[in-house]
Amino acid sequence: MNVARSFNNWRKFRQTVTELSRMSSRELQDLGIDRADIRSVARASVAR
């Protein structure tokens, strides 16, 4: 994996974590995401 792709993946991960962290517990619940699962959901978004 090259440096640019690694950086873009890291940025996408951080953006996803930030956006999900700003949501209320109710909004996360509506999406079927537990607050403790935010990092794993973000990792999965990078893996796609």
Side-chain angles (χ1 to χ4, degrees), residues 4 7 9-10 12-13 16 25-26 30 32 34 36-38 40 44:
F7 178 72
N9 285 344
W10 174 80
K12 186 176 180 182
F13 171 80
T16 303
S25 294
R26 174 63 188 218
D30 287 346
D34 190 68
D37 296 331
I38 289 176
S40 63

Side-chain angles (χ1 to χ4, degrees), residues 1-16 45-46:
M1 191 179 291
N2 64 26
V3 175
R5 183 178 291 161
S6 294
F7 178 72
N8 285 333
N9 285 344
W10 174 80
R11 245 181 7 153
K12 186 176 180 182
F13 171 80
R14 288 303 313 151
Q15 181 179 9
T16 303
S45 75
V46 172

Side-chain angles (χ1 to χ4, degrees), residues 19-30 35:
E19 289 178 11
L20 290 175
S21 295
R22 288 181 179 163
M23 290 182 160
S24 69
S25 294
R26 174 63 188 218
E27 290 170 321
L28 289 172
Q29 183 181 16
D30 287 346
R35 193 160 294 281

